[in-house]
Amino acid sequence: MKFRYAMVCSSNQNRSMEAHSLLKKQGFDVSSYGTGAHVKLPGPSLREPNVYDFGTPYKHMFEDLRRKDPELYKRNGILPMLKRNSSVKLAPQRWQENAADGSFDVVFAFEEKVFDMVVEDLHSRDHALMKTVLVINLEVKDNHEEAAIGARLTLDLCQEIEAAESWEDSIDDIIATFEKQQRRKLLYSISFY
Amino acid sequence: MMTMNPRENLASLINSAKSASDIPSKLEPLRQLKRGLIQQHDLALVSESLSLLSDRFGPVRKFVTEMIGEIGLKHFEFLPEIVPVLITVLSDATPAVARQAITCGIELFRSILEKVAIQGLYSSELDSSLKSSWSWVLTLKEKIYSVAFQTGSGGTRLLALKFVEAVILLYTPDPNGSSEPPPHDGKFAKFNISWLRGGHPILNVGDLSIEASQRLGLLLDQLRFPTVKSLSNSMIVVLINSLSTIAKQRPAFYGRILPVLLGLDPSSSVVNGMRVSAAKHALKNAFLTCLKCTHSGAAPWRDRLIGALRDMEGGGLTNQAIPEVCKINGSLGEGKEDSPVIKEEKPTIKSCDVLDVNLGSKRAGVPDSSDLAEDENVPGKRVRPTPIASEELTRESEKNNTMSQDDVSSIGPTTSRGDGDNGPVQQLVAMFGALVAQGEKAVGSLEILISSISADLLAEVVMANMRHLPPNHLKGEGGEESLLNMTIVGSDSKAKYPPSFVADVLSLSSTFPPIASLLNAHWSESNDIVQKPCDEKEDVVAEADSVLACDGLDHGSENALLPTDLPASSVVSSGMEKGCFPISSDIHDVGDLESEIPGLDSSAHTDGLSETLVTSSMASTDLEEASQEQVTSLGQSTLKLLPSMSTDKSEELSPKAAVTDVSSLVSSTATSVGLSSNFVLPKMSAPVVYLDDEQKDYLQKMAFIRIVEAYRQVAVAGGSQVRFSLLAYLGVEFPSELDPWKLLQKHILEDYMGHEGHELTLHVLYRLYGEQAEDRDFFSSTTAASEYENFLLTVAETLRDSFPPSDKSLSRLLDEAPDLPKSVLKLLEDMCSPGNCDKAEELQSGDRVTQGLSAVWRLIMLRPSIRDACLKVALQSAVHHLEEVRMKAIRLVANKLYPISSIAKQIEDFAKETLLSVISGDATERTDAEGSVTEMQKDSYLEKPVDEHPSVSVNSKDISSDTHQSSTCQSVSSLSVSEVQRCMSLYFALCTKKHSLFRQIFIIYKSTSKTAVHRQIPILVRTMGSSSDLLEIISDPPSGSKNLLMQVLHTLTDGTIPSSELLFTIRKLYDSKLKDIEILIPVLPFLPKDEVKLIFPNVVNLPLDKFQAALARLLQGSSHSGPVLTPAEVLIAIHGIDPDKDEIPLKKVTDACNACFEQRQIFTQQVLAKVLNQLVEQIPLPLLFMRTVLQAIGAFPALVEFIMEILSRLVSKEIWKYPKLWVGFLKCALLTKPQSFGVLLKLPPAQLESALTRTAALKAPLIAHASQPNIRSSLPRSVLVVLGLAPESQTSNPAQTGVAPDSQNSSQVQTSQAQTSQAQTGDTGNSDKEVVTEKSKESSGAS
C-alpha cells in the first residue's frame, strides 16, 4: 500500500466510516473526516437532530443516544453504526482541521458538496510540499445500504489506483474504466499539498 | 556510533545503502544519512551520496532526491553540485522520482529567490556563492519550464505546471501581502516581490513581471484551442486550478486569465464524453473562486462569470452563488466589526464597506494631494460615454507593464455594450452625476445647468433617473402598510436627534416609502457620510452637501408624484427612532465623534444587507439598462471593490492607483445620484429587537397562523398558489415542536371544500415528498416520510369519516398524492373489506365499500407502481365473507380489472388458488364420507390438483398469501356451503370472462361441495352460452364431473334451442367417451326422431326417475318442432325393446310401461287403443303386449269393448302359440268376463279346453253363458262338448245345434254364479299361481 487515503463525508459517521472500516480491514493506510460544521445524527424528528462537536468520541455519542431512546436509535441503525465506528477510531474528525495529519495521496468524497469543500480547502492551504493529491467524488446517498455499496466501490477504485504505477499518468483511464464498468459518474480534481 | 567519526559513519551509511538488496533495508540507512548530512556541512559526502541516484529502485532514488533537495535548502552553497543532478533526475524513468525533483526545485527556487531578494534589499552586492546558486536555480527553472510545456510527459508535467504557477506567483507582487520589506534578517511570513523597490543588484521587478507574464501566457496557451485538445483531462484540471489560483492571488491577471477560462468549453475540448464532468467541475469551481474574489480587477468579470455559471448550471447555481458572495462579504464585515480599532490602524482587511475603508485609505494616502487634483479632470471626461473607470484601469495596466493588450480587449466588450444608447437625457444624467460628484465646487455649474435646460427635459432627466430606484420603492401602498406596522412597534421617545437630522430623515424617507430593511441599508451608508466630516472635513463635507442637494432635487419631484407619502413618512421616522433607540445617544455624538463610534457597529451589521441590495440592483441594471447604467454599475462595482486595492498601498505596482481610487469614489457619488440617493440617507440604526427563542417561536407560529387564516383575502387577491407553497414550505422549515402540520390539518379539515383543502394538501404532500426524495441524508428523509404519511393518513381518514360515500374527494386525493404509503393502503383495505377491522358499525355501510373499491380501481388504473398492492386490496375484498361486499368487489375485479391484460394473470392465479383452497381441505373429508367406492377413482384425479397447487401458489404468492392462509385454516374446519361459495365466487365470475377457466371447476368438482357449485352454475352457464371454450370442455369432461356436466347441459338447453354445435358435441361425447345416455337427456327433444328411436332402449334403461324426466322431454319436445315422439310412438317403442337383444332387464321395460300408464292425461284411451291396434299387428307380438292390454283395461275399463276386439284378433292370430302371451290372454279373459266369453267361445275347442283347465274360474260362468239358448245354438258341438253341454259322443257334430238352448237357459244361473265366482276368484285363484302373482305384481307396480 503505497498511498495514504482519506475518506470524507459530511459528518464522518456513515459513508466515510463505512469506507474507512472496509479499507482498514483491507490493510490500507486510511483516515476519515467530515466537512460539516458539526456532527449531526438523526434525532426524534427532522428538526431535532443530535448535534455533536467533532472530536466527541463515538462511544460517548453511543451512550448518549442509548440513554435518550434506545429503541429509536437501534431501529434506525444509528447505534449499530456508532458501535462500528468506535471500533474503527475514537472520534469523528473534521477535514478542515486535519493539517496536522500530514498529506494524503488520494481523498475520496462521497457527495459533491463535500468534494467542493475539500477541493476548496486544499486550494486555500499553503502549497508547501508540492505534492499532488487526487480528490475523487463518488456520489453516495446517505443511508446504510448505499454507504455499504459506496465503500465497496471505493475499495475497488483504491485497488485500481494502487495497481497503477503512477496515478498521475493513468488517472483518466482509471476513472473512465470505472465509470464504464459501474455506470456511475465520478468527479475528480488534482490539488497540491 | 557516537564515538565514531561522524563523517566515516555517514560514509558507511552510504555504503550500506548501496549494498543493501531490498528497498526497506536501503531506505533505513538513507534516513539516518539524511539526518546526518543535513547537520554536516560536507560537500564531498554529499557528492558521494549523489551516486545513490543511480540506484535501481525508484523509491530509493526518490528518497535521495528528496534528501539532496533538503540539503540544498539548508546549504545553498552546494547548489552548483546539486542542481545539475536534479536536472538529470528530471528525466528519470520513474515519474515519482522526476516529480520529487520538481518538488525540490520549487523549494530551492523559492528559498534562493527569497535569499537573493532580501540580501539585495540591504546591500548592493551579493555573495558570489549566492549568485552562482541563483544562476543554477535559474537553470533548473528553465529545465522545469521545458518539462511543463513539452507535450506528453504525463504526471511529471502536472507538477511542472505547478512549478510554473509558483514562479508566476513569486515574480508578481501579492496585493494582499505586506509591501513593506521585513527588517534585515527578520522573520517573514510570506515573501512578496513588491518588497523590491528597484536598485536591486540582480533582480529587476519589471523583468520578473515580464517573465511571469510570458509564462502565464504560455499556461494560457495550453488551454487555448487547439492545444487543449491534446491535453489529458488531469492536465486540464490542474491547469484550471492553477490559473484560478493565480487569478485569485493576483487579481491583476483577471483580465488575461478569465477570457481564456470563459472561452474554454470543456465539452468541446475533450472527445471522450466521460471525462467532461471533471474539467467542467474544475471550471465551475474556478469561476466560483473568481466570483468570490473581492478585488477590483475581478469586478468587471462578475457578469460574465455569473453568466457562464448560469449556462453551466441552468441558473440554479448562480442564484446560490450570488448570495454566497454576499454572505462572504457580509462576514468580512462582521470580522471587521470585531476589531474596529485595528481596522483603523491596519486597513489590510478586505472589506466591502466602501466609503468607510476609503476613509482609511485616504488617510493613508493623505500626501497624495496630486490625486485630488486629478479629481478635477474627471468630470469633463465623465460626460463622455466611455467609462472612466475602465480607462483608468487600462492606464494602470499600461503603466504596470505586466498586462498586455488582453486587458483592453477584454474590457472592451463590457464597455462597448454600453455605447449603444446615448440619448441627450442620458447624457444629461451623466453630466448631473459628474457635477454632483465634484461636490461643492460644482454647485454653481449645477445651478446654471438646471436653469438652462427646459422644464420638460429636466423632468425627463428626473424620470430617467428614477429608473435607478430599486423597483420595490415605488410600491406606494405596500409601503404605507408596512409603515403602519412599524408604528405598532413604534415608540414613545421622540427625537434625540438634531432637528436637521430629523428633517433629513423625513425628507429622505418621503422619497422612499420606507421598507425597514432598505432603511437599514441607507442608514449605514449615510452613517459613513456623516462620519466623514470628522475625518476629512473640507472636501467631504462639501461632497455630502452636494449630494444632499442633489437629493433634494430628486425628492422634490418625487413629492410631486407621491404627495401622500409625506404624512406617512413622519410616522416612519418615529418608528425608526424607536428602532435606534438603544444607541440613539451615541448617534447624537456623531457630529464630533472620534474613531470609536458605537454607531459604526450597527452599521457594520447591515453591511451585508446593503451589499445585497447593491449587488442585486447592479445585476438587474447591468443586464437590461443602457449605457449610462453601465457606467454606474461599473463605477459602483469598482467603488465597492477598490478599497481592497487601495488599502494595499500598491503604489509601486501602479502609481495611478490612488487616482483610480479617487475616480472610483467620484463615480460612486455619481452612482449615488444614479440610484437616487440610495446612499445618502442619514444614519439610522436598524430596528433590531432581539428575541429569545420562545418569542421567535411564537412569532413564527403567529405568522403561520395568519397565513393560514388569510385564505379568503388571499383567494380574492388571486394568490392562493403562492399561499399554498408558502405554507407547505414553512411547514417543513418550522421546528417540529410548533407542529405546523397540525395547524394546517385543522384548517384543511375544517372546511375541505371552502379552504381548498385538496390543493393545499397536495402542496404540503409534494413539499414533504420532495424533502423525502431529495434524500439529503437518511434521517431528514425518514422524518419527512413519516410526516408525509401522517399528514396524508389524517386527511384521508377525516375525508372518509366526514364525507358521504358518494363524495369523490378522497379518491381524488389518493389519485393525486405523490406517493401512497402502506398505512393509506391499509385504510383502503379496511374500507373495501369491512369487518377485517373491528368496527362493527361499518358493516352496514355498503356504500363505503363501493367508495373504497372505486378508489382502488382508479389507483390501479393510474398508478402502476402500487398496482400490486391495490390489486391485493381488491382481491381480498372479492373473497370477503359478506356476500354484499364480495359481490361488489367481484364485479369490479371481473368486469373492470380482469380485462386489463397486465394484471389478468395475477387475478386468475389468485382466484384459482382460493378455489383450490376449498378443495384441499374438503377433499379428505369427502373421501371419508363417500367411502371407498369413489376412492379408487379419486386417487388418480387428486394428483392433478395437488400438482397444480404449489405452482399456482408460487405464481400468486405475493398477492394471496394472507388470504390463502386465512382460507385454508378455515377449510380445515368443516367448510360450510357459504364458505365454499365465498372462495368460489370470484372464480366463477372470472369464468364468465374467460370460459376456458371453467374447466378447472370441472376438475375440482368431484372433490368439492356440490351444492355450492350447483348454486352458481345456472347463472354462469347462462351467461357463457355454448361458447367454443365450453363446448371444448363438454367434449372432454374430466371424469367425476358428470353431474356438473349434466347441470351445465340442462342449463344450456333450458328454454332455449341448443346450437347444432352443442348437439354435435354432445352426440360425439356420447358416441365416443361417455356412453351414458343421461347426457343426452337434455338434448333429446332436439334430436331427430330416428336417432331417438335408436337410443330409446337406453333411455328406458335409466333409473325410473330419470326415465320419467326423459320421457317428459320427449313427449314435450322443443317449442318449435313439437314433440319428438308421440305418446303412441313412445309406447310402441317401449314394446319394441327386446330385453335379450338390447340387454335391458325386462323389469326396466315394464317399469317404463308403468310410468307411461301413470300419466293418464297423456297416455289416454285413444292413445292406448291406437297403440294396441298397431301392436296387435306386429309379428311376432311384443312380449309385453298382453301385459299392456291388461294394464289398459285396468286403467281404462271403458276400453273393454275395444279390448274384446283385440282379443278376438288374437284368437284369430292363434295366440295360444305364444305361451307367455297365452297366459296373459287367459288372464285378460278372466278379467274381462263376462265380455270375454264371446272371445273365449271363439277359441278352438282344444284351446278352449286348455283355457278352462288353466283358468278354472272361467269354466262355470262360461258354461252358464254358453248355456243360453241363443248362444248355445250358435256354438259348434265340439265347443259344447268341451263345455260339457253336449255329450262326448256327439262331440263330433250335433253338439253345435243341440246344446245351444240349454246353454241359453243355464246362462241366467250361470251369470249369478259368475258373480259369486268372481268374488271367489281371489280365494280360488291360487289354483293358477302364475296369474295371481302376475296380478299382484301389477297392482304393486301400479300403486
Side-chain angles (χ1 to χ4, degrees), chain A residues 42 45-48 112 115-116 123 127-130 141-142 168-169 172 188-190 192, chain B residues 99 103 106-107 154-155 159 162 233-234 241 245 281 732 734 736 775 778-780 783:
Chain A
S45 86
L46 187 56
R47 305 296 158 218
E48 302 153 276
E112 193 170 322
F115 173 75
D116 286 345
H123 213 64
H127 298 173
L129 287 174
M130 283 304 158
K141 276 191 181 175
D142 196 357
E168 284 92 338
D169 291 316
D172 281 359
Y188 79 89
S189 184
I190 296 165
F192 293 86
Chain B
R99 280 203 298 273
T103 309
I106 295 175
E107 291 303 314
L159 216 66
K162 195 70 188 165
N233 210 30
S234 50
N241 286 347
T245 309
H281 198 84
V732 171
F734 266 26
S736 56
D775 211 8
F778 68 100
F779 63 97
S780 67
T783 320

Short mmCIF file of all heavy atoms in Angstrom, two decimals, chain A residues 42 45-48 112 115-116 123 127-130 141-142 168-169 172 188-190 192, chain B residues 99 103 106-107 154-155 159 162 233-234 241 245 281 732 734 736 775 778-780 783:
data_model
loop_
_atom_site.label_atom_id
_atom_site.label_comp_id
_atom_site.label_asym_id
_atom_site.label_seq_id
_atom_site.Cartn_x
_atom_site.Cartn_y
_atom_site.Cartn_z
N PRO A 42 -29.37 11.75 13.30
CA PRO A 42 -30.82 11.88 13.33
C PRO A 42 -31.35 11.95 14.75
O PRO A 42 -30.83 11.28 15.65
CB PRO A 42 -31.31 10.60 12.66
CG PRO A 42 -30.15 10.10 11.91
CD PRO A 42 -28.93 10.58 12.58
N SER A 45 -37.01 13.92 15.45
CA SER A 45 -37.70 14.46 14.28
C SER A 45 -36.69 15.15 13.41
O SER A 45 -35.53 15.33 13.78
CB SER A 45 -38.80 15.44 14.69
OG SER A 45 -38.24 16.72 14.86
N LEU A 46 -37.18 15.55 12.25
CA LEU A 46 -36.30 16.16 11.26
C LEU A 46 -35.62 17.40 11.82
O LEU A 46 -34.47 17.69 11.51
CB LEU A 46 -37.15 16.53 10.04
CG LEU A 46 -36.40 17.04 8.82
CD1 LEU A 46 -35.36 16.04 8.40
CD2 LEU A 46 -37.38 17.29 7.69
N ARG A 47 -36.34 18.13 12.63
CA ARG A 47 -35.81 19.41 13.11
C ARG A 47 -35.04 19.28 14.40
O ARG A 47 -34.62 20.26 14.97
CB ARG A 47 -36.96 20.41 13.28
CG ARG A 47 -37.79 20.61 12.06
CD ARG A 47 -37.01 21.23 10.93
NE ARG A 47 -37.67 20.94 9.67
CZ ARG A 47 -37.02 20.67 8.55
NH1 ARG A 47 -35.71 20.65 8.53
NH2 ARG A 47 -37.67 20.42 7.46
N GLU A 48 -34.99 18.08 14.91
CA GLU A 48 -34.28 17.94 16.18
C GLU A 48 -33.15 16.94 16.06
O GLU A 48 -33.19 15.88 16.65
CB GLU A 48 -35.26 17.48 17.26
CG GLU A 48 -36.42 18.41 17.47
CD GLU A 48 -37.64 17.69 18.01
OE1 GLU A 48 -38.40 17.12 17.20
OE2 GLU A 48 -37.82 17.66 19.22
N GLU A 112 -21.04 15.72 -3.67
CA GLU A 112 -20.40 16.78 -4.43
C GLU A 112 -20.10 17.99 -3.55
O GLU A 112 -19.06 18.64 -3.69
CB GLU A 112 -21.28 17.20 -5.61
CG GLU A 112 -20.52 18.06 -6.58
CD GLU A 112 -21.28 18.29 -7.88
OE1 GLU A 112 -21.94 17.35 -8.31
OE2 GLU A 112 -21.21 19.40 -8.41
N PHE A 115 -17.05 17.25 -1.73
CA PHE A 115 -15.94 17.30 -2.68
C PHE A 115 -15.50 18.75 -2.90
O PHE A 115 -14.31 19.07 -2.84
CB PHE A 115 -16.41 16.67 -3.99
CG PHE A 115 -15.46 16.78 -5.15
CD1 PHE A 115 -14.33 16.00 -5.22
CD2 PHE A 115 -15.72 17.68 -6.18
CE1 PHE A 115 -13.47 16.10 -6.30
CE2 PHE A 115 -14.86 17.78 -7.25
CZ PHE A 115 -13.73 16.99 -7.32
N ASP A 116 -16.50 19.60 -3.14
CA ASP A 116 -16.17 21.01 -3.36
C ASP A 116 -15.45 21.61 -2.16
O ASP A 116 -14.50 22.37 -2.30
CB ASP A 116 -17.46 21.81 -3.63
CG ASP A 116 -18.00 21.54 -5.02
OD1 ASP A 116 -17.24 20.98 -5.84
OD2 ASP A 116 -19.16 21.86 -5.28
N HIS A 123 -7.22 24.00 -1.83
CA HIS A 123 -6.84 25.13 -2.66
C HIS A 123 -6.35 26.29 -1.79
O HIS A 123 -5.43 27.00 -2.15
CB HIS A 123 -8.07 25.57 -3.46
CG HIS A 123 -7.76 26.11 -4.79
ND1 HIS A 123 -7.18 25.35 -5.77
CD2 HIS A 123 -7.93 27.34 -5.32
CE1 HIS A 123 -7.01 26.09 -6.84
NE2 HIS A 123 -7.46 27.31 -6.60
N HIS A 127 0.56 25.68 -0.46
CA HIS A 127 1.06 24.54 -1.23
C HIS A 127 2.56 24.42 -1.02
O HIS A 127 3.36 24.70 -1.89
CB HIS A 127 0.74 24.73 -2.71
CG HIS A 127 -0.73 24.78 -2.97
ND1 HIS A 127 -1.26 25.07 -4.19
CD2 HIS A 127 -1.79 24.57 -2.16
CE1 HIS A 127 -2.57 25.06 -4.12
NE2 HIS A 127 -2.92 24.76 -2.89
N ALA A 128 2.91 23.98 0.19
CA ALA A 128 4.32 23.99 0.55
C ALA A 128 5.02 22.72 0.09
O ALA A 128 6.15 22.76 -0.38
CB ALA A 128 4.46 24.15 2.05
N LEU A 129 4.34 21.61 0.20
CA LEU A 129 5.00 20.34 -0.10
C LEU A 129 5.09 20.09 -1.59
O LEU A 129 5.89 19.29 -2.05
CB LEU A 129 4.23 19.18 0.53
CG LEU A 129 4.33 19.06 2.04
CD1 LEU A 129 3.39 17.97 2.52
CD2 LEU A 129 5.76 18.73 2.43
N MET A 130 4.23 20.73 -2.34
CA MET A 130 4.16 20.50 -3.77
C MET A 130 3.96 19.02 -4.07
O MET A 130 4.64 18.42 -4.89
CB MET A 130 5.44 21.00 -4.46
CG MET A 130 5.45 22.49 -4.60
SD MET A 130 3.99 23.03 -5.48
CE MET A 130 3.87 24.71 -4.94
N LYS A 141 -25.50 8.03 -1.59
CA LYS A 141 -26.62 8.51 -0.76
C LYS A 141 -26.35 8.19 0.69
O LYS A 141 -25.78 7.15 1.02
CB LYS A 141 -27.92 7.84 -1.20
CG LYS A 141 -28.56 8.53 -2.35
CD LYS A 141 -29.96 7.98 -2.56
CE LYS A 141 -30.63 8.64 -3.75
NZ LYS A 141 -31.91 8.06 -4.05
N ASP A 142 -26.84 9.06 1.56
CA ASP A 142 -26.52 8.91 2.97
C ASP A 142 -27.48 7.95 3.65
O ASP A 142 -28.30 8.34 4.46
CB ASP A 142 -26.56 10.29 3.64
CG ASP A 142 -25.85 10.24 4.99
OD1 ASP A 142 -25.41 9.15 5.38
OD2 ASP A 142 -25.75 11.29 5.64
N GLU A 168 -0.90 9.72 -11.57
CA GLU A 168 -0.90 10.98 -12.31
C GLU A 168 -0.96 10.72 -13.81
O GLU A 168 -1.53 11.51 -14.56
CB GLU A 168 0.37 11.79 -11.99
CG GLU A 168 0.36 12.47 -10.65
CD GLU A 168 0.98 11.60 -9.56
OE1 GLU A 168 1.04 10.37 -9.75
OE2 GLU A 168 1.40 12.15 -8.53
N ASP A 169 -0.36 9.63 -14.21
CA ASP A 169 -0.32 9.34 -15.64
C ASP A 169 -1.57 8.61 -16.12
O ASP A 169 -1.93 8.69 -17.28
CB ASP A 169 0.91 8.50 -15.97
CG ASP A 169 2.17 9.33 -15.81
OD1 ASP A 169 2.17 10.48 -16.26
OD2 ASP A 169 3.12 8.83 -15.19
N ASP A 172 -6.93 9.30 -15.82
CA ASP A 172 -8.05 9.44 -16.76
C ASP A 172 -8.58 8.07 -17.18
O ASP A 172 -9.79 7.85 -17.26
CB ASP A 172 -7.61 10.23 -18.00
CG ASP A 172 -7.58 11.72 -17.71
OD1 ASP A 172 -7.92 12.09 -16.57
OD2 ASP A 172 -7.21 12.49 -18.60
N TYR A 188 -13.34 14.22 -10.42
CA TYR A 188 -12.08 14.24 -9.71
C TYR A 188 -11.38 15.56 -9.92
O TYR A 188 -11.69 16.31 -10.83
CB TYR A 188 -11.19 13.07 -10.12
CG TYR A 188 -10.46 13.23 -11.42
CD1 TYR A 188 -9.20 13.82 -11.44
CD2 TYR A 188 -11.02 12.81 -12.60
CE1 TYR A 188 -8.52 13.97 -12.64
CE2 TYR A 188 -10.35 12.96 -13.79
CZ TYR A 188 -9.10 13.55 -13.81
OH TYR A 188 -8.44 13.69 -14.98
N SER A 189 -10.47 15.81 -9.05
CA SER A 189 -9.68 17.02 -9.18
C SER A 189 -8.29 16.69 -8.66
O SER A 189 -8.11 15.71 -7.93
CB SER A 189 -10.31 18.15 -8.37
OG SER A 189 -9.58 19.32 -8.59
N ILE A 190 -7.34 17.50 -9.07
CA ILE A 190 -5.98 17.28 -8.60
C ILE A 190 -5.55 18.53 -7.86
O ILE A 190 -5.64 19.64 -8.40
CB ILE A 190 -5.03 16.98 -9.76
CG1 ILE A 190 -5.46 15.67 -10.42
CG2 ILE A 190 -3.60 16.92 -9.28
CD1 ILE A 190 -4.86 15.43 -11.76
N PHE A 192 -2.79 20.18 -4.67
CA PHE A 192 -1.42 20.04 -4.17
C PHE A 192 -1.37 20.33 -2.69
O PHE A 192 -2.13 21.13 -2.17
CB PHE A 192 -0.50 21.01 -4.90
CG PHE A 192 -0.33 20.67 -6.34
CD1 PHE A 192 -1.23 21.13 -7.29
CD2 PHE A 192 0.72 19.86 -6.76
CE1 PHE A 192 -1.09 20.81 -8.61
CE2 PHE A 192 0.86 19.54 -8.09
CZ PHE A 192 -0.04 20.01 -9.03
N ARG B 99 9.10 13.70 -10.31
CA ARG B 99 8.25 14.67 -9.61
C ARG B 99 8.93 15.20 -8.36
O ARG B 99 8.84 16.37 -8.03
CB ARG B 99 6.92 14.01 -9.24
CG ARG B 99 5.95 13.94 -10.39
CD ARG B 99 4.52 13.80 -9.88
NE ARG B 99 4.33 12.59 -9.11
CZ ARG B 99 4.01 11.42 -9.66
NH1 ARG B 99 3.84 11.32 -10.96
NH2 ARG B 99 3.85 10.35 -8.91
N THR B 103 9.55 18.99 -7.11
CA THR B 103 9.19 19.47 -5.78
C THR B 103 10.39 20.15 -5.12
O THR B 103 10.29 21.24 -4.57
CB THR B 103 8.71 18.30 -4.91
OG1 THR B 103 7.72 17.59 -5.64
CG2 THR B 103 8.16 18.79 -3.62
N ILE B 106 11.05 23.51 -6.70
CA ILE B 106 10.21 24.63 -6.25
C ILE B 106 10.75 25.18 -4.94
O ILE B 106 10.91 26.39 -4.76
CB ILE B 106 8.75 24.16 -6.09
CG1 ILE B 106 8.18 23.76 -7.45
CG2 ILE B 106 7.91 25.27 -5.48
CD1 ILE B 106 6.79 23.17 -7.37
N GLU B 107 11.03 24.28 -4.04
CA GLU B 107 11.51 24.71 -2.72
C GLU B 107 12.82 25.49 -2.85
O GLU B 107 12.99 26.57 -2.27
CB GLU B 107 11.73 23.49 -1.82
CG GLU B 107 10.44 22.81 -1.41
CD GLU B 107 9.50 23.77 -0.71
OE1 GLU B 107 9.96 24.52 0.17
OE2 GLU B 107 8.30 23.81 -1.09
N GLY B 154 3.12 13.58 -19.08
CA GLY B 154 2.19 13.00 -18.12
C GLY B 154 2.26 13.56 -16.72
O GLY B 154 2.19 14.77 -16.50
N GLY B 155 2.34 12.64 -15.77
CA GLY B 155 2.24 13.01 -14.36
C GLY B 155 3.30 14.00 -13.92
O GLY B 155 3.06 14.84 -13.06
N LEU B 159 3.21 18.48 -12.12
CA LEU B 159 3.97 19.17 -11.09
C LEU B 159 4.78 20.31 -11.68
O LEU B 159 4.95 21.36 -11.05
CB LEU B 159 4.89 18.17 -10.37
CG LEU B 159 5.02 18.47 -8.91
CD1 LEU B 159 3.69 18.26 -8.21
CD2 LEU B 159 6.08 17.60 -8.29
N LYS B 162 2.68 23.15 -11.90
CA LYS B 162 2.55 23.74 -10.57
C LYS B 162 3.77 24.62 -10.30
O LYS B 162 3.66 25.68 -9.67
CB LYS B 162 2.45 22.60 -9.55
CG LYS B 162 1.98 23.02 -8.20
CD LYS B 162 0.52 23.40 -8.23
CE LYS B 162 0.12 24.01 -6.90
NZ LYS B 162 -1.17 24.69 -7.00
N ASN B 233 -7.16 14.94 -19.39
CA ASN B 233 -8.14 15.59 -18.53
C ASN B 233 -7.52 16.08 -17.24
O ASN B 233 -7.81 17.17 -16.76
CB ASN B 233 -9.24 14.58 -18.22
CG ASN B 233 -10.55 15.25 -17.99
OD1 ASN B 233 -10.81 16.30 -18.56
ND2 ASN B 233 -11.35 14.66 -17.14
N SER B 234 -6.62 15.27 -16.68
CA SER B 234 -5.99 15.67 -15.43
C SER B 234 -5.19 16.95 -15.64
O SER B 234 -5.16 17.83 -14.78
CB SER B 234 -5.10 14.56 -14.91
OG SER B 234 -4.25 14.11 -15.93
N ASN B 241 -7.13 24.76 -12.23
CA ASN B 241 -6.91 25.06 -10.82
C ASN B 241 -5.79 26.06 -10.64
O ASN B 241 -5.89 27.01 -9.86
CB ASN B 241 -6.59 23.78 -10.05
CG ASN B 241 -7.82 22.93 -9.85
OD1 ASN B 241 -8.94 23.40 -10.07
ND2 ASN B 241 -7.64 21.69 -9.46
N THR B 245 -6.03 29.80 -9.20
CA THR B 245 -5.22 30.22 -8.05
C THR B 245 -4.50 31.52 -8.37
O THR B 245 -4.48 32.46 -7.56
CB THR B 245 -4.17 29.14 -7.72
OG1 THR B 245 -4.84 27.90 -7.61
CG2 THR B 245 -3.45 29.47 -6.44
N HIS B 281 -16.33 20.59 -13.82
CA HIS B 281 -16.44 20.87 -12.40
C HIS B 281 -15.31 21.78 -11.94
O HIS B 281 -15.53 22.74 -11.19
CB HIS B 281 -16.41 19.56 -11.61
CG HIS B 281 -16.94 19.70 -10.24
ND1 HIS B 281 -18.28 19.63 -9.96
CD2 HIS B 281 -16.33 19.95 -9.07
CE1 HIS B 281 -18.46 19.81 -8.68
NE2 HIS B 281 -17.29 20.01 -8.11
N VAL B 732 -42.28 22.76 6.48
CA VAL B 732 -41.07 21.94 6.51
C VAL B 732 -39.98 22.64 7.31
O VAL B 732 -39.22 22.01 8.04
CB VAL B 732 -40.59 21.65 5.08
CG1 VAL B 732 -39.25 21.00 5.09
CG2 VAL B 732 -41.59 20.78 4.37
N PHE B 734 -40.28 24.83 9.72
CA PHE B 734 -40.54 25.14 11.11
C PHE B 734 -40.01 24.06 12.03
O PHE B 734 -39.95 22.90 11.68
CB PHE B 734 -42.06 25.25 11.32
CG PHE B 734 -42.57 26.65 11.21
CD1 PHE B 734 -41.87 27.58 10.46
CD2 PHE B 734 -43.71 27.04 11.85
CE1 PHE B 734 -42.34 28.87 10.35
CE2 PHE B 734 -44.19 28.33 11.74
CZ PHE B 734 -43.50 29.26 10.99
N SER B 736 -40.21 21.38 14.76
CA SER B 736 -41.34 20.45 14.84
C SER B 736 -42.20 20.70 16.06
O SER B 736 -43.38 20.35 16.07
CB SER B 736 -40.83 19.02 14.86
OG SER B 736 -39.94 18.87 15.93
N ASP B 775 -33.45 13.38 -0.30
CA ASP B 775 -32.57 12.40 0.27
C ASP B 775 -31.23 13.00 0.65
O ASP B 775 -30.19 12.48 0.32
CB ASP B 775 -32.36 11.25 -0.73
CG ASP B 775 -32.12 9.96 0.02
OD1 ASP B 775 -32.29 9.96 1.24
OD2 ASP B 775 -31.76 8.96 -0.64
N PHE B 778 -30.16 10.42 5.51
CA PHE B 778 -31.24 9.46 5.67
C PHE B 778 -32.20 9.83 6.78
O PHE B 778 -33.33 9.44 6.78
CB PHE B 778 -30.68 8.05 5.85
CG PHE B 778 -29.93 7.82 7.11
CD1 PHE B 778 -30.54 7.19 8.16
CD2 PHE B 778 -28.62 8.22 7.23
CE1 PHE B 778 -29.84 6.96 9.32
CE2 PHE B 778 -27.93 8.00 8.38
CZ PHE B 778 -28.53 7.37 9.44
N PHE B 779 -31.75 10.67 7.72
CA PHE B 779 -32.71 10.96 8.78
C PHE B 779 -33.69 12.04 8.38
O PHE B 779 -34.86 11.98 8.74
CB PHE B 779 -32.03 11.24 10.11
CG PHE B 779 -31.14 12.44 10.14
CD1 PHE B 779 -31.61 13.63 10.62
CD2 PHE B 779 -29.83 12.36 9.73
CE1 PHE B 779 -30.78 14.72 10.69
CE2 PHE B 779 -29.01 13.46 9.79
CZ PHE B 779 -29.49 14.65 10.27
N SER B 780 -33.23 13.02 7.62
CA SER B 780 -34.19 14.04 7.23
C SER B 780 -35.23 13.44 6.30
O SER B 780 -36.41 13.77 6.35
CB SER B 780 -33.49 15.21 6.56
OG SER B 780 -32.95 14.83 5.34
N THR B 783 -37.69 11.31 8.39
CA THR B 783 -38.64 12.14 9.12
C THR B 783 -39.69 12.71 8.19
O THR B 783 -40.88 12.69 8.49
CB THR B 783 -37.91 13.29 9.83
OG1 THR B 783 -36.71 12.79 10.35
CG2 THR B 783 -38.75 13.87 10.92
#
